[in-house]
Amino acid sequence: MAAAAVVSNGDYAAVKTPSTGRFAAGYSEVQNSRLDHSLPLPSVLKSSLKVVDGPPSSAAGNPDEIAKLFPCLYGQPSVNLVPGDSAGELAPKALKIGVVLSGGQAPGGHNVISGIFDYLQDRCKGSTLYGFRGGPAGIMKGKYVVLTPEFIYPYRNQGGFDMICSGRDKIETPEQFKQAADTAVKLDLDGLVVIGGDDSNTNACLLAENFRSKNLKTRVIGCPKTIDGDLKSKEVPTSFGFDTACKIYAEMIGNVMVDARSTGKYYHFVRLMGRAASHITLECALQTHPNVTLIGEEVAAKKQTLKNVTDYIADVICKRAELGYNYGVILIPEGLIDFIPEVQQLIAELNEILAHDVVDEAGIWKKKLTPQSLELFDLLPQAIQEQLMLERDPHGNVQVAKIETEKMLIQMVETELEARKQASAYKGQFKGQSHFFGYEGRCGLPSNFDATYCNALGYAAGVLLHSGKTGLISSVGNLAAPVAEWTVGGTALTSLMDVERRHGKFKPVIKKAMVELEGAPFKKYVSLREEWALKNLYINPGPIQFVGPTADKVNHTLLLELGYQE
Amino acid sequence: MAAAAVVSNGDYAAVKTPSTGRFAAGYSEVQNSRLDHSLPLPSVLKSSLKVVDGPPSSAAGNPDEIAKLFPCLYGQPSVNLVPGDSAGELAPKALKIGVVLSGGQAPGGHNVISGIFDYLQDRCKGSTLYGFRGGPAGIMKGKYVVLTPEFIYPYRNQGGFDMICSGRDKIETPEQFKQAADTAVKLDLDGLVVIGGDDSNTNACLLAENFRSKNLKTRVIGCPKTIDGDLKSKEVPTSFGFDTACKIYAEMIGNVMVDARSTGKYYHFVRLMGRAASHITLECALQTHPNVTLIGEEVAAKKQTLKNVTDYIADVICKRAELGYNYGVILIPEGLIDFIPEVQQLIAELNEILAHDVVDEAGIWKKKLTPQSLELFDLLPQAIQEQLMLERDPHGNVQVAKIETEKMLIQMVETELEARKQASAYKGQFKGQSHFFGYEGRCGLPSNFDATYCNALGYAAGVLLHSGKTGLISSVGNLAAPVAEWTVGGTALTSLMDVERRHGKFKPVIKKAMVELEGAPFKKYVSLREEWALKNLYINPGPIQFVGPTADKVNHTLLLELGYQE
């Protein structure tokens, strides 16, 4: 490694000295302190190893359809890495590997890349690692950078995806597959690592199938990324980024809780990222003990209406007022209203009406709504009504994502409490404060857990490609144990798939892992929520620590799902 | 200290063991780890010391009026603590001291209290410390708790004001002074420590004057608190809480910056707490290097209009678009629009009109606005117009605090960029994301600096009361040096005061310390802002660390104001 080098990627145009781990400019002390943080590897990755095939695999559902969609790959075994003698070891050889980041940011992405890189340096001398820029589009357009020690160094243990950036394009049409294949051939790629969520890993498997069907030598391995925590299975216990993002949100929630208790006069409504599943909200609740937590999956399972949700919150507020508490903290998953059937129905009707009718000031258009939807519409605060009418996407559809659910709930709760006050059923004071924690958590410096986990995922992806595997997702398990004991392998992506019918065709999907209402994290929350609602058992997790006795703690969700009782 | 005790304050109804520093429940690992964090004291506080009077003091302005307002206290010297021999030492005696938290939360408040407590334990055996509950109202109503080791322990180095809570009541009428005196007499108080901002310290001095004029023995000492950083002077280099709050906001800003650079498609508009002065925004800028930073004091000094501000932001965005950057981060102080004269004028006119006239749908009422105000009103986005018209306080006045400045600016910039696009002067894509960081920072776990500084402030307040001083503010200086070398004293509160004329009467005020346009922090920012605007020199400070090499760093503002070139 050079003693000093000018980093060539524009954003870090600072003279750095890898040997001391210090930048002349551009990094904070904490960023600098992370550069040389050494990452423990699972024991199996530290010495001679061999790749052991498991039994033939099936699919998560509809195996016959998955078999048709993946004729080359379906049924292939998942694999485990186990200690081997040096005789059975993979022969060192120079590989050409590409890596791509796909979709939204999650803390630890850079460490997956450095993990792959380190594996190649350690075991496959003379290899080349290409970083495709800007996500899958970078593969299709052949936009890449050769990753060198100097290029990678400043991103070690740093948050963000800015080393090579990400993108949301997909490789799915025959033309796009051809572009990807052209790049793979042109660069003579032995392998490609796709770092992404459920969709991206599905597409990684389609690409692996496509390459295999064309007899290309390029293998494709996926890595599980998403702060939302909804890409997981028995073999892949968690997606990276979830741990860090939840800890960052929980830090903020904990601070707001102490503020609420100190001030004694605000209800803080905190919306948290996580459009599909409510894992983030649940984990943050387990970390901080809020007074109310809404879990989308529960709302859906109980077929709750917006009025039910409002009443639930108002009930807790009324009970707390009787105890003398006119403050509290309420957690709301970003995707809440997607879980409420009546809201979906209203939005569908609005889309239909607004596409064809003129909205008159007098409100005659409203007569086209079904009675239930009209009732719901009239229940909504005026600002939300306007948002529904005015904020349209380019196709003229209501933009559900733009609705500030936390503000909507504050207004609805306020109205409900006012009515109860009139009926002498509530005597407290209610003041709502809204928060949305999202972007703050996607690019934080990865926690020690995410940093180490990602490094292992990347290192394992290197092994899998080295051993000629394709269509697997890098899988690191036994995560509650010391890192030395973590298990490492690759899971057949087809084994995680089911099909969905879209536009009359079967599409393969890795089903999003939703919050299980029978799962240990949710059950733990349910067992405690009544106490949390009325007592003030707030916990302030504080800022993520990178050194010291608290630095290596793993999130509750993972521990509970792995069977640990806390 | 008892080996185990049930903590009696309701919110921490957990069995704790002071000897091990662990709670059975209710605290996070990081909170627990902070309980036994030991705080270094300035050397002068660690051994025999004496209190040395300085020369007679004057006032910050209008000394004759201040002398009239404070006939007993005006002119009294500030004092320094210096090493003394044991002969000249203060005689140990049991004291009865009260302490009160006044105004908004700031990290470190609990440590001021534990600092006072520890002084009494160390040097005044047999003393009693009363914590007045809920702010100054607690003094007037005689609502207090006796602070014991067991009561205080769980709050050591913890954020929030929840140990005794705070309040915004003021002691200012003769009746209120009498109530306070009654409590002081009833509890036989030797002293009272008022922990608060500029107003609270002014009131502390009025109370000291009042007690002295009544020949009560109760002395009053102030402590400088506010995250806004606008209570400071030569003798009081910073208010506590500023360091921690800025670091928490900067952590979030840094994360958002990395996200902006990784995603490449959003402009994040971040509003930061600080209604009067823009210190927080300036400090966060120095920590993170955003593309645009608005400093209220500069906007006011340059008599900028809202259009000027919008154009400035739009100019940066256009230049960045030419460089290929369609993303960025913009920091906005909460009080921005209070600094724009034309906005103040518009609001004054609106208040007048809305108090007397009916607002007609057709907008004829608008004709009552002056032409400039009408022009400005029409320039505002519709949502902001509505906010101005609809959100009124109980007196019917426009609620400036409710205006979401960051959203207003996003809309105004969007409109301006659209116009430039029509004129072919801008070809980029603009998407704004709004953030408000406020409550997240007021109750975080105090940084090592704030924890240590507050402890010293409290300990010093103990010395000052022990030595019979009154009307001083606890003053700890030389803060860039190692803690051992910090200076300790008390500054005559009257020396910090000027008068303002309110309702035809002179009122004493400690003037808020605004951002000095000739001060080192602002000049440093000005020297760098053009580079920050166009290049991406973002710095991600990361989460506050409590241990390790980065844990003891002090904020830029303080270092620069103390003359350190960084």
Side-chain angles (χ1 to χ4, degrees):
Chain A
M1 209 180 268
V6 176
V7 180
S8 58
N9 45 336
D11 288 335
Y12 291 101
V15 177
K16 68 163 188 63
T17 313
S19 56
T20 65
R22 291 293 174 274
F23 274 73
Y27 266 28
S28 69
E29 282 81 353
V30 174
Q31 283 180 297
N32 264 325
S33 77
R34 296 301 284 164
L35 284 173
D36 293 323
H37 170 70
S38 70
L39 300 165
L41 273 177
S43 296
V44 69
L45 292 175
K46 293 207 295 195
S47 52
S48 296
L49 60 83
K50 60 182 178 183
V51 180
V52 178
D53 284 352
S57 67
S58 178
N62 291 294
D64 295 346
E65 298 301 331
I66 296 295
K68 279 186 228 160
L69 289 161
F70 296 91
C72 302
L73 296 181
Y74 176 76
Q76 73 163 336
S78 299
V79 305
N80 284 307
L81 309 194
V82 298
D85 49 27
S86 49
E89 208 178 351
L90 295 165
K93 60 173 169 178
L95 297 173
K96 290 176 182 147
I97 305 289
V99 61
V100 69
L101 294 161
S102 181
Q105 286 87 299
H110 290 147
N111 278 27
V112 179
I113 299 175
S114 62
I116 303 167
F117 185 81
D118 292 349
Y119 178 78
L120 296 177
Q121 293 258 337
D122 291 350
R123 310 269 185 119
C124 300
K125 295 261 180 286
S127 293
T128 306
L129 183 60
Y130 299 95
F132 289 105
R133 286 189 180 276
I139 302 176
M140 295 187 279
K141 295 181 192 162
K143 270 184 65 182
Y144 61 85
V145 59
V146 175
L147 299 175
T148 60
E150 291 73 26
F151 195 99
I152 284 180
Y153 179 76
Y155 298 97
R156 286 186 183 268
N157 301 306
Q158 308 294 316
F161 276 8
D162 44 335
M163 186 203 289
I164 52 175
C165 292
S166 181
R168 295 189 183 273
D169 301 273
K170 289 179 182 171
I171 302 173
E172 46 188 4
T173 68
E175 173 62 21
Q176 290 169 328
F177 279 124
K178 180 160 183 322
Q179 290 172 340
D182 288 348
T183 298
V185 169
K186 191 177 149 210
L187 293 178
D188 191 32
L189 288 186
D190 296 292
L192 173 68
V193 181
V194 176
I195 303 168
D198 50 336
D199 263 7
S200 303
N201 274 286
T202 303
N203 291 336
C205 195
L206 286 165
L207 195 60
E209 175 73 22
N210 184 275
F211 285 174
R212 173 64 59 89
S213 73
K214 288 174 178 161
N215 281 320
L216 292 192
K217 70 168 178 174
T218 313
R219 269 72 174 175
V220 184
I221 298 293
C223 278
K225 173 228 71 174
T226 163
I227 62 164
D228 291 354
D230 55 9
L231 169 56
K232 61 184 168 188
S233 64
K234 192 165 64 64
E235 301 83 358
V236 180
T238 190
S239 56
F240 76 78
F242 175 75
D243 186 76
T244 307
C246 288
K247 285 172 177 166
I248 293 172
Y249 301 142
E251 176 197 355
M252 297 298 117
I253 295 164
N255 287 353
V256 165
M257 283 171 163
V258 178
D259 201 284
R261 181 163 58 203
S262 297
T263 314
K265 63 180 178 185
Y266 293 116
Y267 270 93
H268 294 270
F269 285 61
V270 181
R271 177 167 50 117
L272 293 164
M273 235 177 209
R275 178 147 300 280
S278 299
H279 296 291
I280 289 177
T281 301
L282 180 56
E283 172 62 27
C284 288
L286 292 169
Q287 286 191 30
T288 63
H289 305 183
N291 303 107
V292 172
T293 307
L294 303 174
I295 300 296
E297 290 85 342
E298 183 183 28
V299 168
K302 294 188 172 168
K303 296 191 172 49
Q304 292 186 323
T305 63
L306 205 48
K307 181 82 172 69
N308 294 150
V309 172
T310 305
D311 284 344
Y312 170 55
I313 299 172
D315 289 349
V316 170
I317 291 173
C318 288
K319 282 184 208 151
R320 288 178 59 79
E322 281 169 28
L323 297 169
Y325 304 134
N326 285 300
Y327 63 88
V329 175
I330 292 162
L331 303 190
I332 304 157
E334 189 182 17
L336 178 70
I337 56 177
D338 291 329
F339 286 99
I340 302 177
E342 59 168 2
V343 176
Q344 290 310 303
Q345 175 64 27
L346 169 63
I347 287 169
E349 291 179 28
L350 284 175
N351 283 337
E352 191 63 25
I353 291 170
L354 294 169
H356 301 105
D357 295 283
V358 176
V359 174
D360 54 309
E361 291 255 337
I364 296 170
W365 66 271
K366 281 203 225 169
K367 292 189 182 163
K368 308 217 171 184
L369 290 171
T370 59
Q372 306 93 300
S373 288
L374 178 58
E375 192 184 337
L376 174 60
F377 188 82
D378 286 339
L379 187 72
L380 293 173
Q382 196 191 337
I384 302 295
Q385 289 181 351
E386 283 171 12
Q387 225 165 9
L388 286 172
M389 307 302 293
L390 297 173
E391 301 261 4
R392 331 287 299 174
D393 71 11
H395 309 288
N397 288 322
V398 170
Q399 289 188 280
V400 183
K402 288 252 174 133
I403 295 175
E404 296 174 306
T405 319
E406 70 284 17
K407 291 192 176 169
M408 178 179 80
L409 285 175
I410 287 175
Q411 292 180 57
M412 296 189 65
V413 166
E414 199 163 43
T415 305
E416 173 63 26
L417 290 173
E418 197 45 52
R420 294 188 188 192
K421 198 166 249 183
Q422 298 299 326
S424 300
Y426 170 65
K427 293 186 179 64
Q429 297 297 322
F430 174 77
K431 282 188 196 173
Q433 287 284 354
S434 64
H435 305 262
F436 172 48
F437 298 144
Y439 296 94
E440 299 84 347
R442 307 196 313 173
C443 286
L445 288 153
S447 64
N448 280 358
F449 172 78
D450 269 329
T452 305
Y453 179 52
C454 287
N455 184 56
L457 286 171
Y459 212 88
V463 177
L464 296 172
L465 288 174
H466 187 188
S467 69
K469 298 294 177 187
T470 192
L472 305 181
I473 184 167
S474 183
S475 307
V476 177
N478 199 26
L479 295 171
V483 178
E485 297 165 33
W486 287 2
T487 59
V488 184
T491 305
L493 279 162
T494 47
S495 76
L496 305 176
M497 288 186 196
D498 197 343
V499 288
E500 277 183 6
R501 233 185 147 79
R502 289 184 200 160
H503 307 296
K505 279 189 184 169
F506 281 120
K507 288 270 185 191
V509 291
I510 298 173
K511 277 244 175 96
K512 279 188 195 298
M514 308 301 282
V515 170
E516 297 279 352
L517 303 188
E518 292 302 317
F522 184 77
K523 282 167 92 169
K524 168 122 187 178
Y525 151 70
V526 168
S527 75
L528 295 166
R529 67 174 156 191
E530 284 175 38
E531 202 178 359
W532 294 350
L534 302 185
K535 297 182 188 169
N536 302 311
L537 298 173
Y538 303 146
I539 288 185
N540 184 5
I544 291 177
Q545 298 296 296
F546 295 119
V547 287
T550 66
D552 294 315
K553 193 173 177 248
V554 182
N555 63 78
H556 298 269
T557 302
L558 180 58
L559 288 176
L560 289 164
E561 287 182 342
L562 290 174
Y564 287 78
Q565 288 301 323
E566 295 180 290
Chain B
M1 208 180 271
V6 176
V7 179
S8 57
N9 44 334
D11 288 335
Y12 291 101
V15 177
K16 70 166 189 63
T17 314
S19 57
T20 65
R22 291 293 174 274
F23 274 72
Y27 266 27
S28 70
E29 282 81 352
V30 174
Q31 284 180 297
N32 264 324
S33 78
R34 296 300 286 164
L35 284 173
D36 293 322
H37 170 71
S38 70
L39 299 166
L41 273 177
S43 296
V44 69
L45 292 175
K46 294 207 296 195
S47 52
S48 295
L49 59 84
K50 59 182 178 182
V51 180
V52 177
D53 284 353
S57 67
S58 178
N62 291 294
D64 295 347
E65 298 301 330
I66 297 295
K68 280 186 229 162
L69 289 161
F70 296 92
C72 303
L73 295 181
Y74 176 76
Q76 73 163 334
S78 298
V79 305
N80 284 308
L81 309 194
V82 299
D85 48 28
S86 50
E89 207 178 353
L90 295 165
K93 60 175 169 176
L95 297 174
K96 290 178 182 145
I97 305 289
V99 61
V100 67
L101 294 161
S102 181
Q105 286 87 299
H110 289 146
N111 278 27
V112 178
I113 298 174
S114 62
I116 303 166
F117 185 82
D118 291 349
Y119 178 78
L120 296 176
Q121 293 258 336
D122 291 350
R123 309 267 185 122
C124 300
K125 295 261 180 286
S127 293
T128 306
L129 183 60
Y130 298 95
F132 288 105
R133 285 190 181 276
I139 302 175
M140 296 186 279
K141 295 179 193 161
K143 269 184 65 183
Y144 61 86
V145 58
V146 175
L147 299 175
T148 61
E150 292 73 25
F151 195 99
I152 283 181
Y153 179 76
Y155 298 97
R156 288 186 182 267
N157 302 304
Q158 307 294 316
F161 275 9
D162 43 335
M163 186 203 290
I164 52 175
C165 292
S166 180
R168 295 187 183 274
D169 301 273
K170 289 180 181 169
I171 301 173
E172 45 189 4
T173 66
E175 173 62 20
Q176 290 168 329
F177 278 125
K178 181 164 183 317
Q179 289 173 340
D182 287 350
T183 298
V185 169
K186 192 177 149 210
L187 293 178
D188 191 32
L189 288 187
D190 296 291
L192 173 68
V193 181
V194 176
I195 303 168
D198 51 336
D199 263 7
S200 302
N201 274 284
T202 303
N203 291 335
C205 196
L206 286 165
L207 195 60
E209 176 72 25
N210 184 275
F211 285 175
R212 173 66 57 91
S213 73
K214 288 173 176 160
N215 280 320
L216 292 193
K217 70 168 181 175
T218 313
R219 269 72 174 173
V220 184
I221 297 293
C223 277
K225 173 228 70 174
T226 162
I227 64 164
D228 292 353
D230 55 9
L231 169 56
K232 60 183 168 187
S233 65
K234 191 166 66 63
E235 301 83 357
V236 180
T238 190
S239 56
F240 77 78
F242 175 74
D243 186 75
T244 306
C246 288
K247 284 172 178 166
I248 292 172
Y249 300 142
E251 175 196 355
M252 296 298 117
I253 295 164
N255 287 354
V256 165
M257 284 172 162
V258 178
D259 200 285
R261 181 163 58 203
S262 297
T263 315
K265 62 180 180 185
Y266 293 117
Y267 271 93
H268 295 270
F269 286 60
V270 181
R271 176 167 50 117
L272 293 164
M273 237 177 207
R275 178 147 300 280
S278 298
H279 297 291
I280 289 177
T281 301
L282 180 57
E283 172 62 28
C284 287
L286 291 169
Q287 286 191 31
T288 63
H289 305 184
N291 302 108
V292 172
T293 308
L294 302 175
I295 299 297
E297 289 85 342
E298 182 183 29
V299 168
K302 294 188 173 169
K303 296 190 171 50
Q304 293 185 322
T305 63
L306 204 49
K307 180 81 171 72
N308 294 149
V309 172
T310 305
D311 284 346
Y312 170 54
I313 299 172
D315 289 348
V316 170
I317 291 172
C318 288
K319 282 185 207 151
R320 288 178 59 80
E322 282 170 28
L323 297 169
Y325 304 134
N326 285 300
Y327 63 88
V329 175
I330 292 162
L331 303 190
I332 304 157
E334 190 182 16
L336 179 70
I337 57 177
D338 290 329
F339 286 99
I340 302 177
E342 59 167 3
V343 176
Q344 289 311 302
Q345 176 63 27
L346 169 63
I347 288 169
E349 292 179 28
L350 285 176
N351 282 338
E352 191 63 25
I353 292 170
L354 294 169
H356 300 104
D357 295 281
V358 175
V359 174
D360 54 308
E361 291 256 338
I364 296 170
W365 66 272
K366 281 204 228 169
K367 292 191 181 159
K368 308 217 171 184
L369 290 171
T370 59
Q372 305 93 300
S373 288
L374 179 58
E375 192 183 337
L376 175 60
F377 188 82
D378 285 340
L379 186 73
L380 293 172
Q382 196 191 336
I384 302 296
Q385 289 181 350
E386 283 171 12
Q387 225 165 8
L388 286 173
M389 307 302 294
L390 297 173
E391 301 261 3
R392 331 289 299 174
D393 70 13
H395 309 289
N397 289 322
V398 170
Q399 290 188 280
V400 184
K402 288 253 175 130
I403 294 175
E404 296 175 305
T405 319
E406 70 284 16
K407 291 193 177 169
M408 178 179 80
L409 285 175
I410 286 175
Q411 291 181 58
M412 295 188 67
V413 166
E414 199 163 43
T415 305
E416 173 63 26
L417 289 174
E418 199 44 54
R420 294 189 188 193
K421 199 166 248 183
Q422 298 299 327
S424 301
Y426 170 65
K427 292 185 179 66
Q429 298 297 322
F430 174 79
K431 282 187 195 173
Q433 287 284 355
S434 64
H435 305 263
F436 172 49
F437 298 145
Y439 296 94
E440 298 85 347
R442 307 196 313 174
C443 287
L445 287 153
S447 64
N448 280 357
F449 172 78
D450 269 329
T452 306
Y453 178 53
C454 287
N455 184 54
L457 286 172
Y459 211 88
V463 177
L464 297 172
L465 288 173
H466 187 187
S467 69
K469 298 294 176 186
T470 191
L472 305 181
I473 184 168
S474 181
S475 307
V476 177
N478 199 27
L479 296 172
V483 177
E485 297 164 31
W486 286 3
T487 59
V488 183
T491 304
L493 279 162
T494 47
S495 76
L496 305 176
M497 288 187 195
D498 197 343
V499 289
E500 276 183 8
R501 232 185 148 79
R502 289 184 200 160
H503 307 297
K505 279 190 181 169
F506 282 119
K507 288 271 186 189
V509 290
I510 298 173
K511 276 245 174 95
K512 280 188 195 298
M514 307 301 282
V515 169
E516 297 278 353
L517 302 188
E518 292 302 317
F522 184 76
K523 283 168 91 169
K524 168 123 187 178
Y525 151 69
V526 168
S527 75
L528 294 166
R529 68 173 156 192
E530 285 176 36
E531 203 179 358
W532 293 351
L534 301 186
K535 296 181 188 170
N536 303 310
L537 299 172
Y538 304 145
I539 288 185
N540 185 4
I544 291 177
Q545 297 296 296
F546 295 120
V547 286
T550 65
D552 293 317
K553 195 176 175 243
V554 182
N555 63 79
H556 298 268
T557 301
L558 180 58
L559 288 176
L560 288 164
E561 287 182 343
L562 290 174
Y564 287 77
Q565 288 302 322
E566 295 179 292

